[in-house]
Amino acid sequence: MFTISEIAAEKAKQVLEAEGKAEWGLRIYTAGGGCCGPAYGMDVEETPQAGDEVVEKNGLRVFADQQTFQNLTGMEMDFVDDGVNQGFVIKGQNPEPPSCGCAGGSCG
């Protein structure tokens, strides 16, 4: 299951509201990747597309196509703010790691 943290939901709703798109949602998409798995991107979108999975948290809707949603299994969208950098992150580990021969989870 893909989850959304409380803080990520609240921060995303603030961003959407500031852009005048409070009723819209976020789309997470696969944006390439490599040996250690896919990389993800995020965008603002008004409605889900046909066949999308939709995850909701505190009024925030997050859309993803079937393949991206499958890749997100076991992961969480969070918001980090370390005082220098801030932003949304996808964290956790997919239960099915890539099968490319990366030793010990390290792809160097």
Side-chain angles (χ1 to χ4, degrees):
M1 174 173 14
F2 173 69
T3 59
I4 304 164
S5 72
E6 294 279 336
I7 191 164
E10 294 308 313
K11 289 290 187 178
K13 289 185 339 186
Q14 289 173 9
V15 169
L16 292 170
E17 187 172 321
E19 291 188 11
K21 299 177 179 180
E23 300 301 315
W24 290 35
L26 297 179
R27 170 165 299 281
I28 297 177
Y29 57 91
T30 303
C35 184
C36 289
Y40 299 101
M42 196 174 297
D43 204 355
V44 175
E45 193 162 296
E46 188 170 10
T47 58
Q49 298 175 10
D52 277 351
E53 294 287 337
V54 179
V55 177
E56 294 189 40
K57 176 78 171 201
N58 298 348
L60 172 70
R61 296 178 306 150
V62 175
F63 317 129
D65 64 56
Q66 293 287 322
Q67 182 62 49
T68 299
F69 189 75
Q70 183 178 359
N71 291 340
L72 292 169
T73 298
M75 302 184 83
E76 178 180 57
M77 182 178 116
D78 198 7
F79 184 84
V80 295
D81 183 352
D82 64 11
V84 176
N85 300 301
Q86 62 175 275
F88 295 98
V89 296
I90 305 295
K91 64 183 188 177
Q93 184 173 357
N94 188 303
E96 294 185 29
S99 58
C100 62
C102 298
S106 175
C107 302

Coordinates of all heavy atoms in Angstrom, one line a residue:
M1 N 0.8 -1.2 0.0 CA 0.0 0.0 0.0 C 0.9 1.3 0.0 O 1.9 1.3 0.6 CB -0.9 0.0 1.2 CG -1.7 1.3 1.3 SD -3.0 1.6 2.5 CE -3.0 0.5 3.7
F2 N 0.5 2.3 -0.7 CA 1.2 3.6 -0.8 C 0.5 4.5 0.2 O -0.8 4.5 0.3 CB 1.1 4.2 -2.2 CG 1.6 5.6 -2.3 CD1 3.0 5.8 -2.1 CD2 0.8 6.6 -2.5 CE1 3.4 7.1 -2.2 CE2 1.2 7.9 -2.6 CZ 2.6 8.2 -2.5
T3 N 1.2 5.2 1.0 CA 0.6 6.1 2.0 C 1.2 7.5 1.9 O 2.2 7.8 1.2 CB 0.9 5.6 3.5 OG1 2.4 5.5 3.7 CG2 0.3 4.2 3.7
I4 N 0.5 8.4 2.5 CA 0.8 9.8 2.5 C 0.9 10.3 4.0 O -0.1 10.0 4.8 CB -0.3 10.7 1.8 CG1 -0.5 10.2 0.4 CG2 0.1 12.2 1.8 CD1 -1.8 10.7 -0.3
S5 N 2.0 10.9 4.4 CA 2.1 11.3 5.8 C 1.2 12.5 6.0 O 0.8 13.2 5.1 CB 3.6 11.7 6.1 OG 3.9 13.0 5.5
E6 N 0.9 12.8 7.3 CA 0.0 13.9 7.7 C 0.6 15.2 7.2 O -0.1 16.0 6.6 CB -0.1 13.9 9.2 CG -0.9 12.8 9.8 CD -2.4 12.9 9.7 OE1 -2.9 14.1 9.6 OE2 -3.1 11.9 9.7
I7 N 1.9 15.4 7.5 CA 2.5 16.7 7.1 C 2.6 16.9 5.6 O 2.3 18.0 5.1 CB 3.9 16.9 7.7 CG1 4.4 18.3 7.5 CG2 4.9 15.9 7.1 CD1 5.5 18.7 8.4
A8 N 2.8 15.8 4.8 CA 2.8 15.9 3.4 C 1.4 16.3 2.9 O 1.3 17.2 2.0 CB 3.2 14.6 2.7
A9 N 0.4 15.7 3.4 CA -1.0 16.1 3.0 C -1.3 17.5 3.3 O -1.8 18.2 2.4 CB -2.0 15.2 3.7
E10 N -0.9 18.0 4.5 CA -1.2 19.4 4.8 C -0.4 20.4 4.0 O -0.9 21.4 3.5 CB -1.0 19.6 6.3 CG -1.9 18.9 7.2 CD -3.4 19.1 6.8 OE1 -3.8 20.3 6.6 OE2 -4.1 18.1 6.7
K11 N 0.9 20.1 3.8 CA 1.7 21.0 2.9 C 1.3 21.0 1.5 O 1.2 22.0 0.9 CB 3.2 20.5 3.0 CG 3.9 20.8 4.3 CD 4.1 22.2 4.5 CE 4.9 22.5 5.8 NZ 5.1 23.9 6.1
A12 N 0.9 19.8 1.0 CA 0.4 19.8 -0.4 C -0.9 20.6 -0.6 O -1.1 21.3 -1.5 CB 0.2 18.3 -0.9
K13 N -1.8 20.5 0.4 CA -3.0 21.2 0.3 C -2.7 22.7 0.4 O -3.4 23.5 -0.3 CB -4.0 20.8 1.5 CG -4.6 19.4 1.2 CD -5.6 19.0 2.2 CE -5.6 19.6 3.6 NZ -6.6 19.0 4.5
Q14 N -1.7 23.2 1.2 CA -1.4 24.6 1.2 C -0.8 25.0 -0.1 O -1.2 26.1 -0.6 CB -0.3 24.8 2.3 CG -0.8 24.6 3.7 CD 0.4 24.7 4.7 OE1 1.5 25.0 4.4 NE2 0.0 24.4 6.0
V15 N 0.0 24.2 -0.8 CA 0.5 24.6 -2.1 C -0.6 24.7 -3.1 O -0.6 25.7 -3.9 CB 1.6 23.5 -2.5 CG1 1.9 23.7 -4.0 CG2 2.8 23.6 -1.7
L16 N -1.5 23.7 -3.1 CA -2.6 23.8 -4.1 C -3.5 25.0 -3.8 O -3.9 25.7 -4.8 CB -3.4 22.5 -4.0 CG -2.7 21.2 -4.5 CD1 -3.5 20.0 -4.1 CD2 -2.5 21.3 -6.0
E17 N -3.8 25.3 -2.6 CA -4.6 26.5 -2.3 C -3.9 27.7 -2.7 O -4.5 28.6 -3.3 CB -4.9 26.5 -0.8 CG -5.9 27.6 -0.4 CD -6.3 27.5 1.0 OE1 -6.5 26.4 1.5 OE2 -6.5 28.6 1.6
A18 N -2.6 27.8 -2.5 CA -1.8 29.0 -2.9 C -1.8 29.3 -4.4 O -1.8 30.4 -4.8 CB -0.4 28.9 -2.3
E19 N -1.9 28.2 -5.1 CA -2.0 28.2 -6.6 C -3.4 28.4 -7.1 O -3.6 28.4 -8.3 CB -1.3 27.0 -7.2 CG 0.2 26.9 -7.0 CD 0.8 25.8 -7.7 OE1 0.2 25.2 -8.6 OE2 2.0 25.5 -7.4
G20 N -4.4 28.5 -6.2 CA -5.8 28.6 -6.6 C -6.4 27.4 -7.2 O -7.3 27.4 -7.9
K21 N -5.8 26.2 -6.7 CA -6.2 24.9 -7.2 C -6.5 24.0 -6.0 O -6.2 22.8 -6.1 CB -5.1 24.3 -8.1 CG -4.9 25.2 -9.3 CD -3.8 24.6 -10.2 CE -3.6 25.6 -11.4 NZ -2.5 25.1 -12.3
A22 N -7.2 24.5 -5.1 CA -7.5 23.8 -3.8 C -8.2 22.4 -4.1 O -8.1 21.5 -3.3 CB -8.3 24.6 -2.9
E23 N -9.0 22.4 -5.1 CA -9.8 21.1 -5.4 C -9.0 20.1 -6.3 O -9.5 19.1 -6.6 CB -11.1 21.5 -6.1 CG -12.0 22.4 -5.2 CD -12.3 21.8 -3.9 OE1 -12.7 20.6 -3.8 OE2 -12.3 22.5 -2.9
W24 N -7.8 20.5 -6.7 CA -7.0 19.6 -7.6 C -6.3 18.6 -6.7 O -6.4 18.6 -5.5 CB -6.1 20.5 -8.4 CG -6.7 21.3 -9.5 CD1 -7.9 22.0 -9.4 CD2 -6.2 21.7 -10.7 NE1 -8.2 22.7 -10.5 CE2 -7.1 22.5 -11.4 CE3 -5.0 21.4 -11.4 CZ2 -6.9 23.0 -12.6 CZ3 -4.8 21.9 -12.6 CH2 -5.7 22.7 -13.3
G25 N -5.5 17.8 -7.4 CA -4.7 16.8 -6.7 C -3.3 16.8 -7.2 O -2.9 17.7 -8.0
L26 N -2.5 15.9 -6.8 CA -1.1 15.7 -7.2 C -1.0 14.4 -8.0 O -1.6 13.4 -7.7 CB -0.1 15.6 -6.0 CG 0.0 16.9 -5.1 CD1 0.9 16.6 -4.0 CD2 0.4 18.1 -5.9
R27 N -0.2 14.4 -9.1 CA 0.1 13.2 -9.8 C 1.5 12.9 -9.5 O 2.4 13.7 -9.6 CB -0.1 13.4 -11.3 CG 0.5 12.3 -12.1 CD 0.1 12.2 -13.6 NE -1.4 12.1 -13.7 CZ -2.1 11.0 -13.5 NH1 -1.4 9.8 -13.2 NH2 -3.4 11.0 -13.6
I28 N 1.7 11.6 -9.2 CA 3.1 11.0 -9.1 C 3.3 10.2 -10.3 O 2.4 9.4 -10.6 CB 3.3 10.2 -7.8 CG1 3.1 11.1 -6.6 CG2 4.6 9.6 -7.8 CD1 3.1 10.4 -5.2
Y29 N 4.4 10.4 -11.0 CA 4.7 9.6 -12.2 C 6.1 9.1 -12.1 O 7.0 9.6 -11.4 CB 4.4 10.5 -13.4 CG 5.2 11.8 -13.5 CD1 6.5 11.8 -14.1 CD2 4.8 12.9 -12.9 CE1 7.2 13.0 -14.1 CE2 5.5 14.1 -12.9 CZ 6.7 14.1 -13.5 OH 7.5 15.3 -13.5
T30 N 6.4 8.1 -12.9 CA 7.7 7.5 -13.0 C 8.5 8.4 -14.0 O 8.0 8.7 -15.1 CB 7.6 6.1 -13.6 OG1 6.8 5.3 -12.7 CG2 9.0 5.4 -13.6
A31 N 9.6 8.9 -13.5 CA 10.4 9.8 -14.3 C 11.8 9.2 -14.6 O 12.8 9.8 -14.3 CB 10.5 11.1 -13.6
G32 N 11.8 8.1 -15.2 CA 13.1 7.4 -15.5 C 13.5 6.5 -14.3 O 12.7 6.1 -13.5
G33 N 14.7 6.2 -14.3 CA 15.3 5.3 -13.3 C 16.4 4.5 -13.8 O 16.9 4.7 -14.9
G34 N 16.9 3.7 -13.0 CA 18.1 2.9 -13.4 C 18.1 1.6 -12.6 O 17.1 1.1 -12.2
C35 N 19.3 1.2 -12.3 CA 19.6 -0.1 -11.6 C 18.9 -0.1 -10.3 O 18.5 -1.2 -9.8 CB 21.1 -0.3 -11.5 SG 21.5 -1.9 -10.8
C36 N 18.9 1.0 -9.6 CA 18.3 1.0 -8.2 C 16.8 1.3 -8.2 O 16.3 1.6 -7.1 CB 19.1 2.0 -7.3 SG 20.7 1.4 -7.0
G37 N 16.2 1.2 -9.3 CA 14.7 1.4 -9.3 C 14.3 2.7 -10.0 O 15.2 3.5 -10.4
P38 N 13.0 3.0 -10.0 CA 12.5 4.2 -10.7 C 12.7 5.4 -9.9 O 12.9 5.4 -8.7 CB 11.0 3.9 -10.8 CG 10.7 2.9 -9.8 CD 12.0 2.1 -9.5
A39 N 12.8 6.5 -10.7 CA 12.8 7.9 -10.1 C 11.4 8.4 -10.3 O 10.7 8.0 -11.2 CB 13.8 8.8 -10.8
Y40 N 10.9 9.3 -9.4 CA 9.6 9.8 -9.5 C 9.5 11.3 -9.6 O 10.4 12.0 -9.2 CB 8.8 9.4 -8.2 CG 8.7 7.9 -8.0 CD1 9.5 7.3 -7.1 CD2 7.8 7.1 -8.8 CE1 9.5 5.9 -7.0 CE2 7.8 5.8 -8.6 CZ 8.6 5.1 -7.7 OH 8.6 3.8 -7.6
G41 N 8.5 11.8 -10.3 CA 8.2 13.2 -10.4 C 6.8 13.4 -9.9 O 6.0 12.5 -9.6
M42 N 6.5 14.7 -9.7 CA 5.2 15.1 -9.1 C 4.7 16.3 -9.9 O 5.5 17.2 -10.2 CB 5.4 15.4 -7.6 CG 4.1 15.4 -6.9 SD 4.5 15.6 -5.1 CE 5.3 14.1 -4.7
D43 N 3.4 16.4 -10.1 CA 2.8 17.5 -10.8 C 1.4 17.8 -10.2 O 0.9 16.9 -9.6 CB 2.8 17.3 -12.3 CG 2.7 18.5 -13.1 OD1 2.6 19.6 -12.5 OD2 2.7 18.4 -14.3
V44 N 0.9 18.9 -10.5 CA -0.5 19.3 -10.1 C -1.4 18.9 -11.2 O -1.1 19.1 -12.4 CB -0.6 20.8 -9.8 CG1 -2.0 21.2 -9.5 CG2 0.4 21.2 -8.7
E45 N -2.5 18.2 -10.9 CA -3.5 17.8 -11.9 C -4.9 17.9 -11.4 O -5.2 17.6 -10.2 CB -3.2 16.3 -12.3 CG -3.9 15.9 -13.6 CD -3.2 14.7 -14.2 OE1 -2.1 14.7 -14.6 OE2 -3.9 13.7 -14.2
E46 N -5.8 18.3 -12.3 CA -7.2 18.6 -11.8 C -8.0 17.3 -11.5 O -8.6 17.3 -10.5 CB -7.9 19.4 -12.9 CG -9.3 19.8 -12.4 CD -10.0 20.8 -13.4 OE1 -9.4 21.0 -14.5 OE2 -11.0 21.4 -13.0
T47 N -7.9 16.3 -12.3 CA -8.6 15.1 -12.1 C -7.8 13.9 -12.5 O -6.9 14.0 -13.3 CB -9.9 15.1 -13.0 OG1 -9.5 15.2 -14.4 CG2 -10.9 16.2 -12.6
P48 N -8.1 12.7 -11.9 CA -7.4 11.5 -12.3 C -7.7 11.1 -13.8 O -8.8 11.5 -14.3 CB -7.9 10.5 -11.4 CG -9.2 11.0 -10.8 CD -9.2 12.5 -10.9
Q49 N -6.8 10.4 -14.4 CA -7.0 9.9 -15.7 C -7.7 8.5 -15.6 O -7.6 7.9 -14.6 CB -5.7 9.8 -16.5 CG -5.1 11.2 -16.7 CD -3.7 11.1 -17.3 OE1 -3.3 10.1 -17.8 NE2 -3.0 12.2 -17.3
A50 N -8.2 8.1 -16.7 CA -8.9 6.7 -16.8 C -7.8 5.7 -16.4 O -6.7 5.7 -16.8 CB -9.4 6.4 -18.2
G51 N -8.2 4.8 -15.5 CA -7.3 3.7 -15.0 C -6.4 4.1 -13.9 O -5.6 3.3 -13.4
D52 N -6.4 5.4 -13.4 CA -5.5 5.8 -12.3 C -6.0 5.2 -11.0 O -7.1 4.9 -10.8 CB -5.6 7.3 -12.2 CG -4.6 8.0 -13.1 OD1 -3.8 7.4 -13.8 OD2 -4.7 9.3 -13.1
E53 N -5.0 5.0 -10.2 CA -5.3 4.7 -8.7 C -5.3 6.1 -8.0 O -4.5 7.0 -8.4 CB -4.1 3.9 -8.1 CG -4.1 2.5 -8.7 CD -5.2 1.6 -8.3 OE1 -5.8 1.8 -7.2 OE2 -5.5 0.6 -9.0
V54 N -6.1 6.2 -7.0 CA -6.2 7.5 -6.3 C -6.1 7.1 -4.8 O -6.8 6.3 -4.3 CB -7.6 8.2 -6.6 CG1 -7.7 9.5 -5.8 CG2 -7.8 8.4 -8.0
V55 N -5.2 7.8 -4.2 CA -5.0 7.7 -2.7 C -5.4 9.0 -2.1 O -5.0 10.1 -2.6 CB -3.5 7.3 -2.4 CG1 -3.3 7.3 -0.9 CG2 -3.1 6.0 -3.0
E56 N -6.2 9.0 -1.0 CA -6.6 10.2 -0.4 C -6.1 10.3 1.1 O -6.1 9.2 1.7 CB -8.1 10.4 -0.4 CG -8.7 10.5 -1.8 CD -10.1 10.9 -1.8 OE1 -10.6 11.7 -1.0 OE2 -10.8 10.4 -2.7
K57 N -5.8 11.5 1.5 CA -5.4 11.7 2.9 C -5.8 13.1 3.3 O -5.3 14.1 2.7 CB -3.8 11.5 3.0 CG -3.3 11.8 4.4 CD -3.5 10.6 5.3 CE -2.8 10.8 6.6 NZ -2.6 9.6 7.4
N58 N -6.6 13.2 4.3 CA -7.1 14.5 4.8 C -7.5 15.5 3.7 O -7.3 16.7 3.8 CB -5.9 15.2 5.6 CG -5.6 14.4 6.8 OD1 -6.2 13.4 7.2 ND2 -4.4 14.7 7.4
G59 N -8.2 15.0 2.7 CA -8.7 15.8 1.6 C -7.8 16.0 0.4 O -8.2 16.5 -0.6
L60 N -6.5 15.5 0.6 CA -5.6 15.6 -0.6 C -5.8 14.3 -1.4 O -5.8 13.2 -0.9 CB -4.1 15.6 -0.1 CG -3.1 15.5 -1.2 CD1 -3.1 16.7 -2.1 CD2 -1.7 15.2 -0.6
R61 N -5.8 14.5 -2.7 CA -5.9 13.3 -3.6 C -4.6 13.2 -4.4 O -4.1 14.2 -4.9 CB -7.0 13.5 -4.6 CG -8.4 13.5 -3.9 CD -9.5 13.7 -4.9 NE -9.3 14.9 -5.7 CZ -9.7 15.0 -7.0 NH1 -10.4 14.1 -7.6 NH2 -9.5 16.1 -7.6
V62 N -4.0 12.0 -4.4 CA -2.8 11.7 -5.2 C -3.2 10.7 -6.2 O -3.7 9.7 -5.9 CB -1.7 11.3 -4.3 CG1 -0.5 10.9 -5.1 CG2 -1.3 12.3 -3.2
F63 N -2.8 11.0 -7.5 CA -3.1 10.1 -8.6 C -1.8 9.4 -9.1 O -0.8 10.1 -9.1 CB -3.7 10.9 -9.8 CG -4.7 11.9 -9.4 CD1 -4.6 13.2 -9.9 CD2 -5.8 11.6 -8.6 CE1 -5.5 14.2 -9.5 CE2 -6.7 12.6 -8.3 CZ -6.6 13.9 -8.7
A64 N -1.9 8.2 -9.6 CA -0.8 7.5 -10.2 C -1.4 6.5 -11.2 O -2.4 5.9 -10.9 CB 0.1 6.9 -9.2
D65 N -0.7 6.3 -12.3 CA -1.1 5.2 -13.2 C -0.8 3.9 -12.6 O -0.1 3.8 -11.6 CB -0.4 5.4 -14.6 CG 1.1 5.2 -14.5 OD1 1.6 4.2 -14.0 OD2 1.8 6.2 -15.0
Q66 N -1.3 2.8 -13.2 CA -1.2 1.5 -12.6 C 0.2 1.1 -12.3 O 0.6 0.6 -11.3 CB -1.9 0.5 -13.5 CG -3.4 0.6 -13.5 CD -4.1 0.2 -12.3 OE1 -3.7 -0.8 -11.6 NE2 -5.1 0.9 -11.9
Q67 N 1.1 1.3 -13.3 CA 2.5 0.9 -13.2 C 3.2 1.7 -12.1 O 3.9 1.1 -11.2 CB 3.3 1.0 -14.5 CG 4.7 0.5 -14.4 CD 4.8 -1.0 -14.1 OE1 4.2 -1.8 -14.7 NE2 5.6 -1.3 -13.1
T68 N 3.0 3.0 -12.1 CA 3.7 3.8 -11.0 C 3.1 3.4 -9.7 O 3.9 3.2 -8.7 CB 3.4 5.3 -11.3 OG1 4.0 5.6 -12.5 CG2 4.0 6.2 -10.2
F69 N 1.8 3.2 -9.6 CA 1.2 2.8 -8.3 C 1.8 1.5 -7.8 O 2.1 1.3 -6.6 CB -0.3 2.7 -8.4 CG -1.0 2.5 -7.1 CD1 -1.1 3.6 -6.2 CD2 -1.5 1.3 -6.7 CE1 -1.8 3.4 -5.0 CE2 -2.1 1.1 -5.5 CZ -2.3 2.2 -4.6
Q70 N 2.0 0.5 -8.7 CA 2.6 -0.7 -8.3 C 4.0 -0.5 -7.8 O 4.4 -1.1 -6.8 CB 2.6 -1.7 -9.5 CG 3.1 -3.1 -9.2 CD 3.1 -4.0 -10.4 OE1 2.7 -3.6 -11.5 NE2 3.6 -5.2 -10.2
N71 N 4.8 0.3 -8.4 CA 6.1 0.6 -8.0 C 6.1 1.3 -6.6 O 7.1 1.2 -5.9 CB 6.9 1.5 -9.0 CG 7.2 0.8 -10.3 OD1 7.2 -0.4 -10.4 ND2 7.4 1.6 -11.3
L72 N 5.1 2.0 -6.3 CA 5.0 2.8 -5.0 C 4.6 1.9 -3.8 O 4.5 2.4 -2.7 CB 4.0 3.9 -5.2 CG 4.5 5.1 -6.1 CD1 3.4 6.0 -6.3 CD2 5.7 5.8 -5.5
T73 N 4.3 0.6 -4.1 CA 3.8 -0.2 -3.0 C 4.8 -0.3 -1.9 O 6.0 -0.4 -2.1 CB 3.6 -1.7 -3.5 OG1 2.6 -1.6 -4.5 CG2 3.2 -2.6 -2.4
G74 N 4.4 0.0 -0.7 CA 5.3 0.0 0.5 C 6.0 1.3 0.7 O 6.8 1.4 1.6
M75 N 5.7 2.3 0.0 CA 6.4 3.6 0.1 C 5.4 4.6 0.6 O 4.2 4.4 0.7 CB 6.9 4.0 -1.3 CG 7.9 2.9 -1.8 SD 8.7 3.3 -3.3 CE 10.0 4.2 -2.7
E76 N 6.0 5.8 1.0 CA 5.2 6.9 1.6 C 5.7 8.2 1.0 O 6.9 8.4 0.9 CB 5.4 6.9 3.1 CG 4.7 8.1 3.8 CD 4.9 8.1 5.3 OE1 6.0 8.2 5.7 OE2 3.8 8.1 6.0
M77 N 4.7 9.0 0.7 CA 5.0 10.4 0.3 C 5.1 11.2 1.6 O 4.2 11.2 2.5 CB 3.9 11.0 -0.5 CG 4.1 12.4 -1.0 SD 2.8 13.0 -2.1 CE 2.2 14.3 -1.0
D78 N 6.2 11.9 1.8 CA 6.4 12.7 3.0 C 6.9 14.1 2.6 O 7.2 14.4 1.5 CB 7.4 12.0 3.9 CG 7.4 12.5 5.3 OD1 6.5 13.3 5.7 OD2 8.3 12.1 6.1
F79 N 6.9 15.0 3.6 CA 7.5 16.3 3.4 C 8.6 16.5 4.4 O 8.4 16.2 5.6 CB 6.4 17.4 3.6 CG 6.9 18.8 3.4 CD1 6.9 19.3 2.1 CD2 7.4 19.6 4.4 CE1 7.3 20.6 1.8 CE2 7.8 20.9 4.1 CZ 7.8 21.4 2.8
V80 N 9.8 16.9 3.9 CA 10.9 17.1 4.8 C 11.3 18.6 4.8 O 11.2 19.3 3.8 CB 12.1 16.2 4.4 CG1 11.8 14.8 4.6 CG2 12.6 16.5 3.0
D81 N 11.8 19.1 5.9 CA 12.3 20.4 6.1 C 13.4 20.3 7.1 O 13.2 20.2 8.3 CB 11.2 21.3 6.5 CG 11.6 22.8 6.6 OD1 12.9 23.1 6.5 OD2 10.8 23.7 6.9
D82 N 14.7 20.3 6.6 CA 15.8 20.2 7.5 C 16.4 21.6 7.8 O 17.6 21.6 8.3 CB 16.8 19.3 6.9 CG 17.5 19.7 5.6 OD1 17.3 20.9 5.2 OD2 18.2 18.9 4.9
G83 N 15.7 22.6 7.5 CA 16.2 24.0 7.8 C 17.0 24.6 6.6 O 17.1 25.8 6.5
V84 N 17.5 23.7 5.7 CA 18.2 24.2 4.5 C 17.4 23.8 3.3 O 17.2 24.7 2.4 CB 19.6 23.6 4.4 CG1 20.3 24.0 3.1 CG2 20.4 23.9 5.6
N85 N 16.9 22.6 3.2 CA 16.1 22.1 2.1 C 14.8 21.7 2.6 O 14.6 21.2 3.7 CB 16.8 20.9 1.5 CG 18.2 21.2 1.0 OD1 18.4 22.0 0.1 ND2 19.2 20.5 1.5
Q86 N 13.8 21.9 1.7 CA 12.5 21.4 2.0 C 11.8 20.9 0.7 O 12.1 21.4 -0.3 CB 11.6 22.4 2.8 CG 11.4 23.7 2.0 CD 10.4 24.6 2.8 OE1 9.2 24.4 2.7 NE2 11.0 25.5 3.5
G87 N 10.9 19.9 0.9 CA 10.2 19.4 -0.3 C 9.6 18.1 0.0 O 9.7 17.5 1.0
F88 N 8.8 17.6 -1.0 CA 8.2 16.3 -0.9 C 9.2 15.2 -1.3 O 10.0 15.4 -2.3 CB 7.0 16.3 -1.9 CG 5.9 17.3 -1.4 CD1 5.8 18.5 -2.0 CD2 5.0 17.0 -0.4 CE1 4.8 19.5 -1.6 CE2 4.0 17.9 0.0 CZ 4.0 19.1 -0.6
V89 N 9.1 14.1 -0.7 CA 9.9 13.0 -1.0 C 9.1 11.7 -1.0 O 8.1 11.6 -0.3 CB 11.1 12.8 0.0 CG1 12.0 14.0 0.0 CG2 10.6 12.6 1.5
I90 N 9.5 10.7 -1.7 CA 9.0 9.4 -1.7 C 10.0 8.5 -1.0 O 11.1 8.4 -1.4 CB 8.7 8.8 -3.1 CG1 7.9 9.8 -3.9 CG2 8.1 7.4 -3.0 CD1 6.4 10.0 -3.4
K91 N 9.6 8.0 0.2 CA 10.5 7.2 0.9 C 10.0 5.8 1.2 O 8.8 5.6 1.1 CB 10.9 7.9 2.2 CG 9.8 8.1 3.2 CD 10.2 8.9 4.4 CE 9.1 8.9 5.5 NZ 9.6 9.6 6.7
G92 N 10.9 4.9 1.6 CA 10.5 3.6 1.9 C 11.1 2.7 0.9 O 12.0 3.1 0.1
Q93 N 10.7 1.4 0.9 CA 11.3 0.5 0.0 C 10.2 -0.4 -0.6 O 9.4 -1.0 0.2 CB 12.4 -0.4 0.7 CG 13.1 -1.3 -0.2 CD 14.2 -2.0 0.4 OE1 14.5 -1.8 1.6 NE2 14.8 -3.0 -0.3
N94 N 10.3 -0.5 -1.9 CA 9.3 -1.4 -2.5 C 9.7 -2.8 -2.1 O 10.9 -3.2 -2.1 CB 9.5 -1.2 -4.1 CG 8.4 -2.0 -4.8 OD1 8.3 -3.2 -4.7 ND2 7.6 -1.3 -5.6
P95 N 8.7 -3.7 -1.8 CA 9.0 -5.0 -1.4 C 9.7 -5.9 -2.5 O 10.3 -6.9 -2.2 CB 7.7 -5.6 -1.0 CG 6.7 -4.7 -1.5 CD 7.3 -3.4 -1.8
E96 N 9.6 -5.4 -3.7 CA 10.3 -6.2 -4.8 C 11.4 -5.3 -5.3 O 11.2 -4.5 -6.2 CB 9.3 -6.5 -5.9 CG 8.2 -7.5 -5.4 CD 7.3 -7.9 -6.6 OE1 7.8 -7.9 -7.7 OE2 6.1 -8.2 -6.3
P97 N 12.7 -5.5 -4.8 CA 13.8 -4.7 -5.3 C 14.1 -5.0 -6.7 O 13.8 -6.1 -7.2 CB 14.9 -5.1 -4.4 CG 14.6 -6.4 -3.9 CD 13.0 -6.5 -3.8
P98 N 14.8 -4.1 -7.4 CA 15.1 -4.3 -8.8 C 16.0 -5.5 -8.9 O 16.8 -5.8 -8.0 CB 15.9 -3.0 -9.2 CG 16.2 -2.3 -7.9 CD 15.3 -2.8 -6.9
S99 N 15.9 -6.2 -10.0 CA 16.7 -7.5 -10.2 C 17.8 -7.2 -11.2 O 17.8 -7.9 -12.3 CB 15.7 -8.6 -10.7 OG 15.1 -8.2 -11.9
C100 N 18.6 -6.3 -10.9 CA 19.7 -5.9 -11.9 C 21.1 -6.3 -11.4 O 22.0 -6.0 -12.1 CB 19.6 -4.4 -12.2 SG 19.9 -3.4 -10.7
G101 N 21.1 -7.0 -10.3 CA 22.4 -7.4 -9.8 C 23.1 -6.4 -8.9 O 24.3 -6.5 -8.7
C102 N 22.4 -5.5 -8.4 CA 23.1 -4.5 -7.5 C 23.4 -5.2 -6.2 O 22.5 -5.7 -5.5 CB 22.1 -3.3 -7.2 SG 21.7 -2.4 -8.6
A103 N 24.6 -5.3 -5.8 CA 25.1 -6.0 -4.6 C 24.7 -5.2 -3.3 O 25.1 -4.0 -3.3 CB 26.6 -6.3 -4.7
G104 N 24.1 -5.8 -2.4 CA 23.8 -5.1 -1.1 C 23.0 -3.9 -1.2 O 23.0 -3.0 -0.4
G105 N 22.2 -3.7 -2.3 CA 21.3 -2.6 -2.4 C 22.1 -1.3 -2.9 O 21.6 -0.2 -2.9
S106 N 23.4 -1.5 -3.2 CA 24.2 -0.4 -3.7 C 24.5 -0.5 -5.1 O 25.0 -1.5 -5.6 CB 25.5 -0.4 -2.9 OG 26.4 0.6 -3.3
C107 N 24.1 0.5 -5.8 CA 24.4 0.6 -7.3 C 25.4 1.7 -7.5 O 25.0 2.9 -7.5 CB 23.1 0.9 -8.0 SG 21.8 -0.3 -7.7
G108 N 26.6 1.4 -7.7 CA 27.5 2.5 -7.8 C 28.1 2.6 -9.1 O 28.8 3.2 -9.7

